[in-house]
Coordinates of all heavy atoms in Angstrom, one line a residue:
M18 N -131.0 179.7 -91.7 CA -130.5 179.8 -93.0 C -131.6 180.3 -94.0 O -131.4 181.0 -94.9 CB -130.0 178.4 -93.4 CG -129.5 178.3 -94.8 SD -128.0 179.3 -94.9 CE -127.6 179.1 -96.6
K19 N -132.9 179.8 -93.7 CA -134.0 180.2 -94.6 C -134.2 181.7 -94.6 O -134.5 182.3 -95.6 CB -135.3 179.5 -94.2 CG -135.2 178.0 -94.5 CD -136.6 177.4 -94.0 CE -136.5 175.9 -94.1 NZ -137.7 175.3 -93.6
H20 N -134.0 182.3 -93.4 CA -134.2 183.7 -93.2 C -133.2 184.5 -94.0 O -133.5 185.6 -94.6 CB -134.1 184.1 -91.7 CG -135.2 183.5 -90.9 ND1 -136.5 183.7 -91.1 CD2 -135.1 182.5 -90.0 CE1 -137.2 183.0 -90.2 NE2 -136.4 182.3 -89.5
W21 N -132.0 184.0 -94.1 CA -130.9 184.7 -94.9 C -131.2 184.7 -96.4 O -131.1 185.7 -97.0 CB -129.5 184.1 -94.6 CG -129.0 184.5 -93.3 CD1 -128.9 183.7 -92.2 CD2 -128.5 185.8 -93.0 NE1 -128.3 184.4 -91.2 CE2 -128.1 185.7 -91.6 CE3 -128.3 186.9 -93.7 CZ2 -127.5 186.8 -91.0 CZ3 -127.7 188.0 -93.0 CH2 -127.3 187.9 -91.7
V22 N -131.7 183.5 -96.8 CA -132.1 183.4 -98.2 C -133.2 184.4 -98.6 O -133.2 185.1 -99.6 CB -132.5 182.0 -98.6 CG1 -133.0 181.9 -100.0 CG2 -131.3 181.1 -98.4
L23 N -134.2 184.5 -97.7 CA -135.3 185.4 -97.9 C -134.8 186.9 -97.9 O -135.2 187.7 -98.7 CB -136.4 185.2 -96.8 CG -137.6 186.1 -96.9 CD1 -138.3 185.9 -98.2 CD2 -138.5 185.9 -95.7
A24 N -134.0 187.2 -96.9 CA -133.4 188.5 -96.8 C -132.6 188.9 -98.1 O -132.8 190.0 -98.6 CB -132.6 188.7 -95.6
I25 N -131.8 188.0 -98.6 CA -131.0 188.3 -99.8 C -131.9 188.5 -101.0 O -131.7 189.4 -101.8 CB -130.0 187.1 -100.0 CG1 -128.9 187.2 -99.0 CG2 -129.4 187.2 -101.4 CD1 -128.0 186.0 -99.0
C26 N -133.0 187.7 -101.1 CA -133.9 187.9 -102.2 C -134.6 189.2 -102.1 O -134.8 189.9 -103.1 CB -135.0 186.7 -102.2 SG -134.3 185.1 -102.7
V27 N -135.1 189.6 -100.9 CA -135.7 190.9 -100.8 C -134.8 192.0 -101.1 O -135.2 193.0 -101.8 CB -136.3 191.0 -99.3 CG1 -136.8 192.4 -99.1 CG2 -137.5 190.0 -99.1
L28 N -133.6 192.0 -100.6 CA -132.6 193.0 -100.9 C -132.2 193.1 -102.3 O -132.0 194.2 -102.9 CB -131.4 192.8 -100.0 CG -131.6 193.0 -98.5 CD1 -130.3 192.7 -97.7 CD2 -132.0 194.5 -98.2
A29 N -132.1 191.9 -103.0 CA -131.8 191.9 -104.4 C -133.0 192.6 -105.2 O -132.7 193.2 -106.3 CB -131.6 190.5 -104.9
G30 N -134.2 192.4 -104.7 CA -135.3 193.0 -105.4 C -135.2 194.5 -105.4 O -135.8 195.2 -106.2
G31 N -134.6 195.1 -104.4 CA -134.4 196.5 -104.3 C -133.5 197.1 -105.4 O -133.5 198.3 -105.7
C32 N -132.7 196.2 -106.0 CA -131.8 196.7 -107.1 C -132.5 196.7 -108.4 O -131.9 197.0 -109.4 CB -130.6 195.8 -107.1 SG -129.6 195.8 -105.6
T33 N -133.7 196.2 -108.5 CA -134.4 196.1 -109.7 C -134.8 197.5 -110.3 O -135.1 198.4 -109.5 CB -135.7 195.3 -109.5 OG1 -135.4 194.1 -109.0 CG2 -136.5 195.2 -110.8
Q34 N -134.8 197.6 -111.6 CA -135.2 198.9 -112.2 C -136.6 198.7 -112.7 O -137.0 197.6 -113.1 CB -134.3 199.2 -113.4 CG -132.8 199.4 -113.0 CD -132.1 200.4 -113.8 OE1 -132.7 200.9 -114.8 NE2 -130.9 200.7 -113.4
F35 N -137.4 199.8 -112.6 CA -138.8 199.8 -113.0 C -138.9 200.8 -114.2 O -139.1 202.0 -114.0 CB -139.7 200.2 -111.8 CG -139.6 199.3 -110.7 CD1 -138.7 199.5 -109.6 CD2 -140.3 198.1 -110.6 CE1 -138.6 198.7 -108.5 CE2 -140.2 197.2 -109.6 CZ -139.4 197.5 -108.5
P36 N -138.9 200.3 -115.4 CA -139.0 201.2 -116.6 C -140.3 201.9 -116.6 O -140.4 203.0 -117.1 CB -138.8 200.2 -117.8 CG -138.9 198.8 -117.3 CD -138.7 198.9 -115.8
Q37 N -141.4 201.3 -116.1 CA -142.7 202.0 -116.1 C -142.6 203.3 -115.3 O -143.2 204.3 -115.7 CB -143.8 201.1 -115.6 CG -144.1 199.9 -116.4 CD -143.2 198.7 -115.9 OE1 -142.3 198.9 -115.1 NE2 -143.5 197.6 -116.5
L38 N -141.9 203.3 -114.2 CA -141.7 204.5 -113.4 C -140.8 205.5 -114.0 O -141.0 206.7 -113.9 CB -141.2 204.1 -112.0 CG -142.2 203.3 -111.1 CD1 -141.6 202.9 -109.8 CD2 -143.5 204.0 -110.9
D39 N -139.7 204.9 -114.6 CA -138.8 205.8 -115.3 C -139.4 206.6 -116.4 O -139.1 207.7 -116.7 CB -137.5 205.0 -115.8 CG -136.7 204.5 -114.6 OD1 -136.8 205.0 -113.5 OD2 -136.0 203.5 -114.8
A40 N -140.4 205.9 -117.1 CA -141.0 206.6 -118.2 C -141.9 207.7 -117.8 O -142.2 208.7 -118.6 CB -141.9 205.6 -119.0
L41 N -142.3 207.8 -116.5 CA -143.2 208.8 -116.0 C -142.4 210.0 -115.6 O -142.9 211.1 -115.3 CB -144.0 208.3 -114.8 CG -145.0 207.2 -115.1 CD1 -145.7 206.8 -113.8 CD2 -146.0 207.7 -116.1
E42 N -141.1 209.9 -115.5 CA -140.2 211.0 -115.1 C -140.3 212.2 -116.0 O -140.2 212.0 -117.3 CB -138.8 210.5 -115.0 CG -137.8 211.5 -114.3 CD -136.5 210.9 -114.2 OE1 -136.3 210.1 -113.2 OE2 -135.6 211.1 -115.0
T43 N -140.4 213.4 -115.5 CA -140.4 214.6 -116.3 C -139.1 214.8 -117.0 O -138.0 214.7 -116.3 CB -140.8 215.8 -115.4 OG1 -142.0 215.5 -114.7 CG2 -140.9 217.1 -116.2
P44 N -139.0 215.1 -118.3 CA -137.7 215.3 -118.9 C -136.9 216.4 -118.2 O -137.5 217.4 -117.9 CB -138.1 215.7 -120.3 CG -139.5 215.1 -120.5 CD -140.2 215.2 -119.2
G45 N -135.7 216.1 -118.0 CA -134.8 217.1 -117.4 C -134.8 217.1 -115.9 O -134.1 217.9 -115.3
I46 N -135.6 216.3 -115.3 CA -135.7 216.3 -113.8 C -134.4 215.8 -113.2 O -134.1 216.3 -112.1 CB -137.0 215.6 -113.3 CG1 -137.3 215.9 -111.9 CG2 -136.7 214.1 -113.4 CD1 -137.9 217.2 -111.7
A47 N -133.7 214.9 -113.8 CA -132.5 214.4 -113.2 C -131.4 215.5 -113.1 O -130.6 215.4 -112.2 CB -132.0 213.2 -114.0
E48 N -131.4 216.4 -114.0 CA -130.4 217.5 -114.0 C -130.9 218.7 -113.3 O -130.1 219.7 -113.1 CB -130.1 217.9 -115.5 CG -129.3 216.8 -116.2 CD -130.3 215.8 -116.8 OE1 -131.4 216.1 -117.2 OE2 -129.9 214.6 -117.0
A49 N -132.1 218.7 -112.8 CA -132.7 219.9 -112.1 C -132.1 220.1 -110.8 O -131.6 219.2 -110.1 CB -134.2 219.8 -112.0
D50 N -132.0 221.4 -110.3 CA -131.5 221.7 -109.0 C -132.5 221.2 -107.9 O -133.7 221.1 -108.2 CB -131.3 223.2 -108.8 CG -130.2 223.7 -109.7 OD1 -129.3 222.9 -110.1 OD2 -130.2 224.9 -110.1
Y51 N -132.0 221.0 -106.8 CA -132.9 220.6 -105.6 C -133.7 221.8 -105.2 O -133.2 223.0 -105.4 CB -132.0 220.1 -104.4 CG -131.5 218.7 -104.6 CD1 -130.1 218.5 -105.0 CD2 -132.3 217.6 -104.5 CE1 -129.6 217.3 -105.1 CE2 -131.8 216.4 -104.7 CZ -130.5 216.2 -105.0 OH -130.0 214.9 -105.2
P52 N -134.9 221.6 -104.8 CA -135.7 222.8 -104.3 C -135.1 223.4 -103.1 O -134.4 222.8 -102.3 CB -137.1 222.2 -104.0 CG -136.8 220.8 -103.8 CD -135.6 220.4 -104.6
A53 N -135.3 224.7 -102.9 CA -134.8 225.4 -101.8 C -135.5 225.0 -100.5 O -136.7 224.7 -100.5 CB -135.1 226.9 -101.9
L54 N -134.8 224.8 -99.4 CA -135.4 224.4 -98.1 C -135.9 225.7 -97.4 O -135.2 226.7 -97.4 CB -134.3 223.8 -97.3 CG -133.8 222.4 -97.8 CD1 -132.7 221.9 -96.9 CD2 -134.9 221.4 -97.9
L55 N -137.1 225.6 -96.9 CA -137.7 226.7 -96.2 C -137.9 226.4 -94.8 O -138.1 225.2 -94.4 CB -139.1 227.0 -96.9 CG -139.0 227.4 -98.4 CD1 -140.5 227.5 -98.9 CD2 -138.3 228.7 -98.6
P56 N -137.9 227.4 -93.9 CA -138.2 227.2 -92.5 C -139.6 226.7 -92.3 O -140.5 227.1 -93.1 CB -138.0 228.5 -91.8 CG -137.3 229.4 -92.8 CD -137.5 228.8 -94.2
I57 N -139.9 225.8 -91.4 CA -141.2 225.3 -91.1 C -142.2 226.4 -90.8 O -143.4 226.3 -91.2 CB -141.2 224.2 -90.1 CG1 -142.5 223.4 -90.0 CG2 -140.9 224.8 -88.7 CD1 -142.8 222.6 -91.2
S58 N -141.8 227.4 -90.1 CA -142.7 228.5 -89.7 C -143.2 229.2 -91.0 O -144.4 229.6 -91.1 CB -142.0 229.5 -88.8 OG -140.8 230.0 -89.4
E59 N -142.3 229.4 -92.0 CA -142.8 230.0 -93.2 C -143.7 229.1 -94.0 O -144.7 229.6 -94.6 CB -141.6 230.3 -94.1 CG -141.9 231.1 -95.4 CD -140.6 231.4 -96.1 OE1 -139.6 231.6 -95.5 OE2 -140.8 231.5 -97.4
L60 N -143.5 227.8 -94.0 CA -144.4 226.9 -94.6 C -145.8 226.9 -94.0 O -146.8 226.7 -94.7 CB -143.8 225.5 -94.7 CG -142.6 225.3 -95.5 CD1 -142.0 223.9 -95.3 CD2 -142.9 225.5 -97.0
L61 N -145.8 226.9 -92.7 CA -147.1 226.9 -92.0 C -147.9 228.2 -92.1 O -149.1 228.1 -92.0 CB -146.9 226.6 -90.5 CG -146.3 225.2 -90.2 CD1 -146.0 225.0 -88.7 CD2 -147.3 224.1 -90.7
T62 N -147.3 229.3 -92.3 CA -148.0 230.6 -92.5 C -148.4 230.9 -93.9 O -149.2 231.7 -94.2 CB -147.2 231.7 -91.9 OG1 -145.9 231.8 -92.6 CG2 -146.9 231.6 -90.4
T63 N -147.8 230.2 -94.9 CA -148.1 230.4 -96.3 C -149.4 229.8 -96.6 O -149.7 228.7 -96.3 CB -147.0 229.8 -97.2 OG1 -145.7 230.3 -96.8 CG2 -147.2 230.1 -98.6
E64 N -150.3 230.6 -97.3 CA -151.6 230.1 -97.7 C -151.4 229.1 -98.9 O -150.7 229.3 -99.8 CB -152.5 231.2 -98.1 CG -153.9 230.8 -98.4 CD -154.9 231.9 -98.6 OE1 -154.6 233.0 -98.0 OE2 -155.8 231.8 -99.3
V65 N -152.1 228.0 -98.8 CA -152.1 227.0 -99.8 C -152.9 227.4 -101.0 O -154.0 227.8 -100.8 CB -152.6 225.6 -99.3 CG1 -152.6 224.5 -100.3 CG2 -151.8 225.2 -98.1
P66 N -152.4 227.4 -102.2 CA -153.2 227.8 -103.4 C -154.3 226.8 -103.6 O -154.2 225.6 -103.4 CB -152.1 227.8 -104.5 CG -151.1 226.9 -104.1 CD -151.0 226.9 -102.6
R67 N -155.4 227.3 -104.1 CA -156.6 226.5 -104.4 C -156.4 225.9 -105.8 O -155.7 226.5 -106.7 CB -157.8 227.4 -104.4 CG -158.1 228.0 -103.0 CD -158.9 227.0 -102.2 NE -159.1 227.6 -100.9 CZ -159.7 226.9 -100.0 NH1 -160.0 225.7 -100.1 NH2 -159.9 227.5 -98.8
A68 N -157.1 224.9 -106.1 CA -157.1 224.3 -107.4 C -157.8 225.2 -108.4 O -158.9 225.7 -108.1 CB -157.8 222.9 -107.4
V69 N -157.2 225.5 -109.5 CA -157.8 226.3 -110.5 C -158.8 225.5 -111.3 O -158.7 224.2 -111.3 CB -156.7 226.9 -111.5 CG1 -155.8 227.8 -110.8 CG2 -155.9 225.8 -112.2
P70 N -159.8 226.1 -111.9 CA -160.8 225.3 -112.6 C -160.3 224.4 -113.7 O -160.8 223.3 -113.8 CB -161.7 226.4 -113.3 CG -161.5 227.6 -112.4 CD -160.1 227.5 -111.9
E71 N -159.2 224.8 -114.4 CA -158.7 223.9 -115.4 C -158.2 222.6 -114.8 O -158.4 221.5 -115.3 CB -157.6 224.6 -116.2 CG -158.0 225.8 -117.0 CD -158.1 227.0 -116.2 OE1 -157.4 227.1 -115.1 OE2 -158.8 228.0 -116.6
L72 N -157.5 222.7 -113.7 CA -156.9 221.6 -113.0 C -158.1 220.7 -112.5 O -158.1 219.5 -112.6 CB -156.0 222.0 -111.8 CG -155.4 220.9 -111.0 CD1 -154.5 220.0 -111.8 CD2 -154.6 221.5 -109.8
R73 N -159.1 221.3 -111.9 CA -160.2 220.6 -111.3 C -160.9 219.8 -112.5 O -161.3 218.7 -112.3 CB -161.2 221.6 -110.6 CG -162.3 220.9 -109.9 CD -163.1 221.8 -109.0 NE -163.4 223.1 -109.6 CZ -162.9 224.2 -109.0 NH1 -162.2 224.2 -107.9 NH2 -163.1 225.4 -109.6
D74 N -161.1 220.5 -113.6 CA -161.8 219.8 -114.7 C -161.0 218.6 -115.2 O -161.5 217.6 -115.6 CB -162.0 220.8 -115.9 CG -163.0 221.9 -115.5 OD1 -163.8 221.7 -114.6 OD2 -163.1 222.9 -116.2
S75 N -159.7 218.8 -115.3 CA -158.8 217.7 -115.7 C -158.9 216.5 -114.8 O -159.0 215.4 -115.2 CB -157.4 218.2 -115.8 OG -156.5 217.1 -116.0
I76 N -158.9 216.8 -113.5 CA -159.0 215.7 -112.5 C -160.3 215.1 -112.6 O -160.5 213.8 -112.5 CB -158.7 216.2 -111.1 CG1 -157.2 216.6 -111.0 CG2 -159.0 215.2 -110.0 CD1 -156.8 217.3 -109.7
Q77 N -161.4 215.8 -112.7 CA -162.7 215.3 -112.8 C -162.9 214.4 -114.0 O -163.6 213.4 -114.0 CB -163.8 216.4 -112.7 CG -163.9 217.0 -111.3 CD -164.9 218.1 -111.2 OE1 -165.2 218.7 -112.2 NE2 -165.3 218.5 -110.0
G78 N -162.3 214.8 -115.1 CA -162.3 214.0 -116.4 C -161.6 212.7 -116.2 O -162.1 211.7 -116.6
R79 N -160.5 212.7 -115.5 CA -159.8 211.5 -115.2 C -160.6 210.6 -114.3 O -160.6 209.4 -114.5 CB -158.4 211.8 -114.6 CG -157.4 212.4 -115.6 CD -156.1 212.7 -114.9 NE -155.5 211.4 -114.5 CZ -154.4 211.4 -113.7 NH1 -153.9 212.5 -113.2 NH2 -153.9 210.2 -113.4
V80 N -161.2 211.2 -113.3 CA -162.1 210.4 -112.4 C -163.2 209.7 -113.1 O -163.5 208.6 -113.0 CB -162.6 211.3 -111.2 CG1 -163.7 210.6 -110.5 CG2 -161.5 211.7 -110.3
A81 N -163.8 210.5 -114.0 CA -165.0 209.9 -114.8 C -164.5 208.8 -115.7 O -165.2 207.8 -115.8 CB -165.6 211.0 -115.7
A82 N -163.3 209.0 -116.3 CA -162.8 207.9 -117.2 C -162.4 206.7 -116.4 O -162.7 205.5 -116.8 CB -161.5 208.4 -117.9
L83 N -161.9 206.8 -115.2 CA -161.6 205.7 -114.3 C -162.8 205.0 -113.8 O -162.9 203.8 -113.8 CB -160.7 206.1 -113.2 CG -159.2 206.5 -113.5 CD1 -158.5 207.1 -112.3 CD2 -158.5 205.2 -114.0
R84 N -163.8 205.8 -113.5 CA -165.1 205.2 -113.1 C -165.8 204.4 -114.2 O -166.3 203.3 -114.0 CB -166.0 206.2 -112.5 CG -165.6 206.7 -111.2 CD -166.7 207.6 -110.5 NE -166.2 207.9 -109.2 CZ -166.4 209.1 -108.6 NH1 -167.1 210.0 -109.2 NH2 -166.0 209.3 -107.4
A85 N -165.7 204.9 -115.4 CA -166.3 204.2 -116.6 C -165.5 202.9 -116.8 O -166.1 201.9 -117.1 CB -166.2 205.1 -117.8
R86 N -164.2 203.0 -116.7 CA -163.4 201.8 -116.9 C -163.7 200.7 -115.8 O -163.8 199.5 -116.1 CB -161.9 202.1 -116.8 CG -161.0 201.0 -117.0 CD -159.6 201.4 -117.0 NE -158.7 200.2 -117.2 CZ -157.4 200.2 -116.8 NH1 -156.9 201.2 -116.3 NH2 -156.7 199.1 -117.0
A87 N -163.9 201.2 -114.6 CA -164.2 200.3 -113.5 C -165.6 199.6 -113.7 O -165.8 198.4 -113.5 CB -164.2 201.0 -112.1
Q88 N -166.5 200.4 -114.2 CA -167.8 199.9 -114.5 C -167.8 198.8 -115.6 O -168.4 197.8 -115.5 CB -168.8 201.0 -115.0 CG -170.2 200.6 -115.2 CD -170.9 200.2 -114.0 OE1 -170.6 200.6 -112.9 NE2 -171.8 199.3 -114.1
R89 N -166.9 199.1 -116.7 CA -166.8 198.1 -117.7 C -166.2 196.8 -117.2 O -166.5 195.7 -117.6 CB -166.0 198.6 -118.9 CG -166.7 199.7 -119.7 CD -165.9 200.0 -121.0 NE -164.5 200.2 -120.8 CZ -163.9 201.5 -120.5 NH1 -164.7 202.5 -120.5 NH2 -162.6 201.6 -120.4
L90 N -165.2 196.9 -116.3 CA -164.5 195.7 -115.8 C -165.2 195.0 -114.6 O -164.8 194.0 -114.2 CB -163.1 196.2 -115.3 CG -162.2 196.7 -116.3 CD1 -160.9 197.2 -115.7 CD2 -161.9 195.6 -117.3
S91 N -166.3 195.6 -114.1 CA -167.0 195.0 -113.0 C -168.0 193.9 -113.3 O -168.6 193.3 -112.5 CB -167.8 196.1 -112.2 OG -168.8 196.6 -113.0
G92 N -168.1 193.6 -114.6 CA -169.0 192.5 -115.0 C -168.4 191.1 -114.7 O -167.3 191.0 -114.2
P93 N -169.2 190.1 -115.0 CA -168.7 188.7 -114.7 C -167.5 188.4 -115.6 O -167.4 188.8 -116.7 CB -169.9 187.8 -115.0 CG -170.8 188.7 -115.9 CD -170.5 190.1 -115.6
V94 N -166.6 187.6 -115.0 CA -165.4 187.2 -115.7 C -165.7 186.2 -116.8 O -165.2 186.2 -117.9 CB -164.3 186.8 -114.8 CG1 -163.1 186.3 -115.5 CG2 -163.9 187.9 -113.8
L95 N -166.6 185.2 -116.4 CA -166.9 184.1 -117.3 C -168.3 184.4 -117.8 O -169.2 184.8 -117.1 CB -166.9 182.8 -116.5 CG -165.6 182.4 -115.9 CD1 -165.7 181.2 -115.1 CD2 -164.5 182.2 -117.0
D96 N -168.5 184.0 -119.1 CA -169.9 184.1 -119.6 C -170.7 183.0 -119.1 O -170.2 182.0 -118.6 CB -169.9 184.2 -121.2 CG -169.2 182.9 -121.8 OD1 -168.7 182.1 -121.0 OD2 -169.2 182.8 -123.0
A97 N -172.1 183.1 -119.3 CA -173.0 182.1 -118.7 C -172.8 180.7 -119.2 O -172.7 179.7 -118.3 CB -174.4 182.5 -118.9
P98 N -172.6 180.4 -120.5 CA -172.3 179.0 -120.9 C -171.1 178.4 -120.3 O -171.0 177.2 -119.9 CB -172.2 179.1 -122.4 CG -172.9 180.4 -122.8 CD -172.7 181.3 -121.6
T99 N -170.0 179.2 -120.2 CA -168.8 178.7 -119.6 C -169.0 178.4 -118.1 O -168.5 177.4 -117.6 CB -167.6 179.7 -119.8 OG1 -167.5 180.0 -121.2 CG2 -166.3 179.2 -119.3
R100 N -169.7 179.3 -117.4 CA -169.9 179.1 -116.0 C -170.7 177.8 -115.8 O -170.5 177.0 -114.9 CB -170.7 180.3 -115.5 CG -170.6 180.4 -114.0 CD -171.1 181.7 -113.4 NE -170.7 182.9 -114.2 CZ -171.6 183.8 -114.6 NH1 -172.9 183.6 -114.3 NH2 -171.2 184.8 -115.3
R101 N -171.8 177.5 -116.6 CA -172.6 176.3 -116.5 C -171.7 175.1 -116.8 O -171.8 174.1 -116.0 CB -173.8 176.4 -117.5 CG -174.9 177.2 -117.0 CD -176.2 177.0 -117.8 NE -176.0 177.3 -119.2 CZ -176.2 178.5 -119.7 NH1 -176.5 179.5 -118.9 NH2 -176.0 178.7 -121.0
R102 N -170.9 175.2 -117.8 CA -170.0 174.0 -118.1 C -169.1 173.7 -117.0 O -168.9 172.5 -116.6 CB -169.2 174.3 -119.4 CG -168.3 173.1 -119.8 CD -167.6 173.4 -121.1 NE -166.8 174.7 -121.0 CZ -165.5 174.7 -120.5 NH1 -165.0 173.6 -120.0 NH2 -164.9 175.8 -120.5
L103 N -168.5 174.7 -116.4 CA -167.6 174.5 -115.3 C -168.3 174.0 -114.0 O -167.8 173.1 -113.3 CB -166.8 175.8 -114.9 CG -165.8 176.2 -115.9 CD1 -165.2 177.6 -115.6 CD2 -164.6 175.2 -116.0
A104 N -169.5 174.5 -113.8 CA -170.3 174.1 -112.6 C -170.6 172.6 -112.8 O -170.7 171.8 -111.8 CB -171.5 174.9 -112.5
K105 N -170.9 172.2 -114.0 CA -171.2 170.8 -114.2 C -170.0 169.9 -114.0 O -170.1 168.8 -113.5 CB -171.8 170.6 -115.7 CG -172.3 169.2 -116.0 CD -173.0 169.2 -117.3 CE -172.0 169.4 -118.4 NZ -172.5 169.2 -119.8
E106 N -168.8 170.3 -114.4 CA -167.6 169.5 -114.3 C -167.0 169.5 -112.9 O -166.3 168.5 -112.6 CB -166.6 170.0 -115.3 CG -167.0 169.9 -116.8 CD -167.1 168.5 -117.2 OE1 -166.3 167.7 -116.7 OE2 -167.9 168.2 -118.1
I107 N -167.2 170.6 -112.2 CA -166.6 170.7 -110.9 C -167.6 170.1 -109.8 O -168.7 170.6 -109.7 CB -166.2 172.1 -110.5 CG1 -165.2 172.6 -111.5 CG2 -165.7 172.2 -109.1 CD1 -164.9 174.1 -111.4
T108 N -167.1 169.2 -109.0 CA -167.9 168.7 -107.9 C -167.2 169.0 -106.6 O -166.0 168.6 -106.5 CB -168.2 167.2 -108.0 OG1 -166.9 166.5 -108.1 CG2 -169.0 166.9 -109.3
L109 N -167.8 169.7 -105.7 CA -167.2 170.0 -104.5 C -167.5 169.0 -103.4 O -168.6 168.4 -103.4 CB -167.8 171.4 -104.0 CG -167.5 172.6 -104.9 CD1 -168.2 173.8 -104.4 CD2 -166.0 172.8 -105.1
P110 N -166.5 168.7 -102.6 CA -166.8 167.7 -101.5 C -167.8 168.2 -100.5 O -167.8 169.4 -100.2 CB -165.4 167.5 -100.9 CG -164.6 168.6 -101.3 CD -165.2 169.2 -102.6
Q111 N -168.6 167.3 -100.1 CA -169.7 167.7 -99.1 C -169.1 167.7 -97.7 O -168.5 166.9 -97.2 CB -170.9 166.8 -99.2 CG -171.5 166.9 -100.6 CD -172.1 168.3 -100.9 OE1 -172.5 168.9 -99.9 NE2 -172.1 168.7 -102.1

């Protein structure tokens, strides 16, 4: 019985809408035609385009911003006085 309840909860979660993902959708994409299907042989022989400098610069800018954000967030969560107060109050069993 427990397994059925878990399965129903998991399946119900699949019906959830995610507005954060919907906001990322390109306008007009829902009405756009499906892309043409190509034979695999044609896909394998086609040369892959290289990243243009503008795209590379954009990506490197995003990487730098994410690294800076990670650096800012990598500090201690608690300041030193709070940490000392908690250490004094918390006694761990030996």
Side-chain angles (χ1 to χ4, degrees):
M18 181 65 181
K19 291 179 187 178
H20 299 292
W21 283 105
V22 173
L23 178 63
I25 290 172
C26 289
V27 169
L28 291 174
C32 298
T33 303
Q34 298 214 354
F35 298 97
Q37 297 89 350
L38 294 178
D39 292 339
L41 296 176
E42 188 176 279
T43 304
I46 196 74
E48 293 82 30
D50 292 334
Y51 285 103
L54 297 177
L55 301 174
I57 190 71
S58 59
E59 185 177 331
L60 292 173
L61 293 176
T62 58
T63 304
E64 187 171 328
V65 178
R67 300 273 181 187
V69 295
E71 296 83 21
L72 179 62
R73 186 173 36 246
D74 292 342
S75 171
I76 291 172
Q77 288 176 344
R79 290 180 64 194
V80 167
L83 287 172
R84 285 189 176 145
R86 181 178 178 203
Q88 183 67 29
R89 287 191 312 269
L90 295 174
S91 66
V94 175
L95 301 174
D96 59 355
T99 304
R100 200 172 318 128
R101 281 194 299 274
R102 183 179 56 82
L103 288 174
K105 186 173 66 174
E106 297 293 328
I107 298 173
T108 57
L109 298 176
Q111 298 294 332

